[in-house]
Amino acid sequence: MKPVRTTLALLALTVATAHAQPQLPAPNFPTFGSVADVQTRCDSGLKSARQRVAQLEKRKVDSGWLAAYDDLVVYLEDHQGPNDFILNVHPDKAIRDAAQACSLRWADFGSSLGQNEKLYRALQKAPKADGIDAEFARLASGQFEDSGVALPKAKRERAKQILDKLTELDQQFNKNIRDAGTRVAFTGAELKGVPASVWEKAKRDDQGRILLGVDYPSYVPVMRSAESGEARRRMWLAKTNEGGTPNLDLLARIVTLRGEYAKLFGFDNYVDFNLRRRMAKDGATATRFLDSVTGAVNAREKTELQELRAAKAEHLGTAPEQTQVERWDATFYSERVKLQKFSVDQNAFRPYFPPQASLEFSMRIIEKLMGVKYQRVDNKLWHDEAQTYVVSDAATGKPIAQMYVDLYPRDGKYNHAAVWPLRGSATRIGRTPAASLVVNFDRNGLTLDEVETLLHELGHAVHVNLSNTRYAATAGTTVMHDFVEAPSQMLEDWVYDKQVLKLMQEVCPTCKPVPDAMVAQAQAAKHYGKGGLFGRQHLYASYDITLHRQAKPEPLPLWAKMEGATPLGHVQGTMFPAGFAHIAGGYGSGYYGYLWSLVVAMDLRTAFAADKLNADVGKRYRDDVLGQGAQKPAPELVKDFLGRESNSQAFFEYLKK
């Protein structure tokens, strides 16, 4: 028998090892404990920001000036960034509201900074040591110019007024959605077909009816599975009218102001103004691209609609020619067709993908592919369920980034899926990046579609976390806006790979493996519905561009006309644009970028065709694309990685399948 002392020492060592965890490579996300805390941070942050600008104005324009300007970018990331993020996720409405008020003050500071002539002139004069310096200066100059720095005084003042107002209107648009607290009442009979886990613990109204929100874990299962057409209709209407009439008015004001803004710069419309620094260059190019997509899927969309009509007729026992497919029918009958043709039921995947294990599985893919390691650490954040991960380089063990994750829905939280780039990398000062991934998943498990969404969003976080740029201003997802979705869209295809799915057992040995037959069926089924999917994406993108070209924007009449021209038509009384937060915000006149990026993403995927987990290709991708951020223009990044110019061949081949 060993001496007791040795045994105790070993026990202590074991316990210490079990609790050893890597240190965060960067400061933790700040706590926002009260409204006063938000306001104090806001006051001190803005005061110091103004002092820093004043110092930079006086600074000698020498070889260190670009770095000094980037120091200001770093400061803004660390002080404005957390505030602008917390207004989307904090569980306390008073704190969210205080953060929103502070965000408007930061926006006022930012629009003034963008028109600072001294800094703009210094940026032109600052010595550029190499191509990275030159690209940084070019991009920063473009931001100053887009803010109106070179406009005559009266126009410059009007530009600032418009920029500040646009920030305010966009925030109000999102707040109207976030704080709506919409609930739809259902009887138990109306939810026949919907998994009990979706509704059994839901609140009831005074009549005993089940109350469900329009968050994705409630909305999607009802639209996919509810046998009752009336139940689906009410749920669809509630979601489609999210934001309501006030948001239609806000959107009209936003688009009108954008049009006025573009005219200050001599442009006829906001589309051409906004796209001139992107891959597409102008609205005509983006429109031609969209037309090429719709031409490839038009016939397919009509064929699919005939199949949905036949499925509905069979289900209800009606004659096909007398059966009308409604908007709220599309998802339900599409699922029935997939079940009949491919034996695929998305809900059947939930037991195989518990949310936490799915997150770890997604991270395991990145670990295998890109030579990194994720480790969860104990950490206090804005909500008890929010998680923290340290990202380390696998070869050296060095912590290189951190990632925060907020998995589940709650009242007042941003209700889609997104990533916030909280900190950019800056190798010149050893600055490590940080990202926050926000989704709203069902606690009972994910469908394969939702695992795809998770990988997409993780792709944005990876783009931030594996950035290895000299300057924070060109880090991670600061790339051209019609390229920014490509690294995320590229990864979506990984969930259909049997070899990739086997990684689930590495992170969750107790999880049952997804049967190969189910994967094969899902692979076949993913090609079904492409007509409707791409038809819808085309509609969103075309609507966005057309709306931003209107002299007097009328969001709802235009939407009713354009949606009315699609095979499923428009439902009177609905107002989808009221919830179209993408175009009220940063995707305004740029929504086409989702399809444009997908073309690039499918081209990038060709390098992984032989093996989706090829670590050598993954390392090249990490270094040549993700690591570079916006240090090089997006087309160069793709060319460096593929060894050739990018093309759309893979995308159009995919459309034919």
Side-chain angles (χ1 to χ4, degrees):
M1 190 169 150
K2 291 179 182 176
V4 173
R5 221 166 70 187
T6 307
T7 306
L8 288 173
L10 282 170
L11 180 62
L13 178 64
T14 303
V15 171
T17 304
H19 286 90
Q21 56 179 19
Q23 295 296 306
L24 292 175
N28 191 22
F29 189 87
T31 55
F32 289 82
S34 65
V35 169
D37 185 19
V38 175
Q39 291 168 339
T40 301
R41 284 179 178 279
C42 195
D43 291 341
S44 63
L46 281 160
K47 182 181 178 183
S48 183
R50 291 187 186 100
Q51 290 169 346
R52 286 162 184 266
V53 170
Q55 289 166 1
L56 189 57
E57 285 175 340
K58 295 171 188 167
R59 192 191 186 286
K60 183 181 178 185
V61 183
D62 57 13
S63 59
W65 196 90
L66 287 180
Y69 176 70
D70 196 51
D71 286 341
L72 178 61
V73 173
V74 164
Y75 180 85
L76 297 179
E77 278 189 344
D78 290 346
H79 292 80
Q80 178 181 359
N83 178 85
D84 288 356
F85 170 64
I86 209 71
L87 65 87
N88 291 282
V89 295
H90 203 284
D92 186 330
K93 183 178 184 297
I95 288 177
R96 292 197 307 271
D97 289 350
Q100 182 163 331
C102 175
S103 186
L104 294 177
R105 294 175 63 196
W106 275 112
D108 172 61
F109 168 84
S111 57
S112 295
L113 177 65
Q115 295 186 352
N116 189 310
E117 293 178 82
K118 288 180 183 175
L119 298 190
Y120 177 63
R121 285 198 299 268
L123 189 60
Q124 311 303 302
K125 286 189 233 165
K128 287 85 176 172
D130 56 15
I132 290 175
D133 280 6
E135 185 65 2
F136 168 36
R138 186 184 74 82
L139 292 172
S141 295
Q143 289 167 350
F144 275 103
E145 289 156 12
D146 287 355
S147 298
V149 71
L151 292 174
K153 187 171 183 293
K155 286 186 175 182
R156 194 164 66 236
E157 288 173 358
R158 181 57 185 151
K160 177 175 165 36
Q161 289 172 356
I162 292 174
L163 288 175
D164 290 346
K165 193 64 180 178
L166 285 171
T167 301
E168 179 189 334
L169 296 175
D170 174 38
Q171 289 193 356
Q172 188 59 47
F173 190 99
N174 281 283
K175 187 176 190 293
N176 288 346
I177 296 170
R178 205 170 51 238
D179 292 348
T182 304
R183 294 286 184 274
V184 188
F186 300 101
T187 64
E190 285 181 315
L191 293 178
K192 181 186 175 187
V194 180
S197 59
V198 173
W199 53 265
E200 59 189 354
K201 293 179 183 174
K203 291 178 182 174
R204 302 314 199 250
D205 67 8
D206 53 9
Q207 297 173 47
R209 293 179 302 178
I210 298 154
L211 295 174
L212 293 179
V214 292
D215 53 277
Y216 279 86
S218 304
Y219 177 77
V220 173
V222 170
M223 298 313 295
R224 272 197 173 130
S225 311
E227 292 276 343
S228 164
E230 173 58 19
R232 296 195 307 273
R233 186 186 73 85
R234 291 207 308 278
M235 184 59 116
W236 179 80
L237 281 172
K239 183 70 174 172
T240 304
N241 290 345
E242 212 173 17
T245 306
N247 271 11
L248 290 176
D249 296 337
L250 288 172
L251 185 57
R253 291 172 68 192
I254 287 169
V255 177
T256 300
L257 284 171
R258 285 174 178 159
E260 183 188 345
Y261 195 80
K263 285 183 172 61
L264 293 174
F265 293 82
F267 283 82
D268 290 337
N269 61 79
Y270 183 73
V271 181
D272 290 335
F273 168 77
N274 201 33
L275 267 56
R276 73 196 195 284
R277 301 189 197 278
R278 300 188 183 178
M279 293 177 85
K281 302 294 187 195
D282 56 40
T285 304
T287 301
R288 278 195 303 274
F289 163 69
L290 290 172
D291 289 345
S292 70
V293 174
T294 196
V297 297
N298 243 340
R300 191 170 188 145
E301 188 175 8
K302 288 171 183 164
T303 302
E304 287 167 5
L305 184 55
Q306 293 304 321
E307 289 184 287
L308 296 184
R309 182 176 284 117
K312 183 174 181 179
E314 182 188 1
H315 180 224
L316 300 182
T318 54
E321 62 275 9
Q322 294 170 349
T323 305
Q324 169 111 3
V325 177
E326 307 289 356
R327 287 263 167 211
W328 52 87
D329 292 329
T331 302
F332 178 76
Y333 287 107
S334 181
E335 288 301 304
R336 285 180 74 90
V337 170
K338 285 180 184 176
L339 192 57
Q340 289 166 357
K341 290 179 81 164
F342 311 105
S343 303
V344 170
D345 174 6
Q346 280 290 332
N347 283 320
F349 285 99
R350 292 193 190 278
Y352 300 98
F353 292 106
Q356 187 61 33
S358 299
L359 173 64
E360 290 162 13
F361 157 69
S362 301
M363 293 189 292
R364 189 77 184 107
I365 294 172
I366 306 303
E367 288 181 337
K368 286 271 193 186
L369 194 58
M370 299 187 199
V372 295
K373 183 175 176 60
Y374 289 88
Q375 288 168 281
R376 188 173 175 179
V377 296
D378 296 331
N379 189 30
K380 184 169 175 55
L381 292 169
W382 56 89
H383 191 273
D384 288 344
E385 289 187 315
Q387 306 172 34
T388 306
Y389 290 86
V390 171
V391 189
S392 302
D393 179 69
T396 62
K398 180 184 175 187
I400 56 172
Q402 61 215 51
M403 179 174 75
Y404 307 113
V405 181
D406 195 337
L407 278 182
Y408 303 112
R410 59 180 176 270
D411 284 347
K413 177 186 166 185
Y414 178 84
N415 69 358
H416 292 276
V419 165
W420 275 260
L422 298 173
R423 281 169 57 95
S425 61
T427 56
R428 65 185 181 80
I429 51 172
R431 178 177 171 83
T432 56
S436 187
L437 186 158
V438 177
V439 288
N440 292 274
F441 286 140
D442 189 326
R443 294 173 188 273
N444 298 292
L446 277 58
T447 64
L448 201 61
D449 285 351
E450 288 163 349
V451 180
E452 191 177 323
T453 297
L454 178 55
L455 257 180
H456 174 102
E457 296 305 336
L458 181 63
H460 286 307
V462 169
H463 199 173
V464 175
N465 286 156
L466 300 190
S467 178
N468 194 35
T469 53
R470 182 183 301 166
Y471 297 110
T474 55
T477 51
T478 61
V479 294
M480 290 176 171
H481 213 265
D482 45 10
F483 175 72
V484 74
E485 297 295 334
S488 289
Q489 291 169 322
M490 189 193 84
L491 287 171
E492 292 172 359
D493 202 44
W494 267 238
V495 300
Y496 296 96
D497 187 285
K498 293 172 188 175
Q499 178 194 2
V500 170
L501 289 171
K502 286 182 170 49
L503 296 181
M504 186 63 142
Q505 273 54 59
E506 293 185 15
V507 299
C508 183
T510 58
C511 290
K512 281 172 32 183
V514 185
D516 282 353
M518 277 182 76
V519 181
Q521 289 156 351
Q523 285 172 334
K526 75 173 179 170
H527 295 298
Y528 179 79
K530 261 188 224 169
L533 171 68
F534 285 108
R536 198 72 180 160
Q537 284 297 310
H538 179 272
L539 173 63
Y540 293 156
S542 299
Y543 170 74
D544 173 35
I545 286 176
T546 307
L547 182 67
H548 280 92
R549 280 179 168 155
Q550 284 195 323
K552 290 187 176 178
E554 295 183 275
L556 190 55
L558 177 65
W559 174 257
K561 179 184 174 186
M562 293 183 72
E563 189 180 39
T566 65
L568 275 176
H570 172 73
V571 179
Q572 284 300 318
T574 60
M575 51 184 85
F576 169 81
F580 202 174
H582 276 82
I583 67 166
Y587 279 82
S589 85
Y591 196 87
Y592 77 92
Y594 275 99
L595 281 172
W596 187 283
S597 291
L598 186 58
V599 173
V600 180
M602 289 190 175
D603 203 16
L604 291 172
R605 273 181 211 163
T606 59
F608 297 93
D611 179 4
K612 291 242 180 337
L613 296 174
N614 186 317
D616 292 333
V617 180
K619 178 71 166 65
R620 271 200 309 110
Y621 178 70
R622 174 183 165 184
D623 293 343
D624 292 349
V625 180
L626 302 183
Q628 297 297 323
Q631 287 186 161
K632 295 180 181 179
E636 282 186 40
L637 299 180
V638 179
K639 186 177 180 181
D640 288 348
F641 175 61
L642 293 175
R644 58 168 171 77
E645 299 286 347
S646 182
N647 63 58
S648 56
Q649 184 180 338
F651 176 72
F652 283 103
E653 283 177 4
Y654 171 79
L655 288 184
K656 292 174 193 168
K657 290 180 183 175

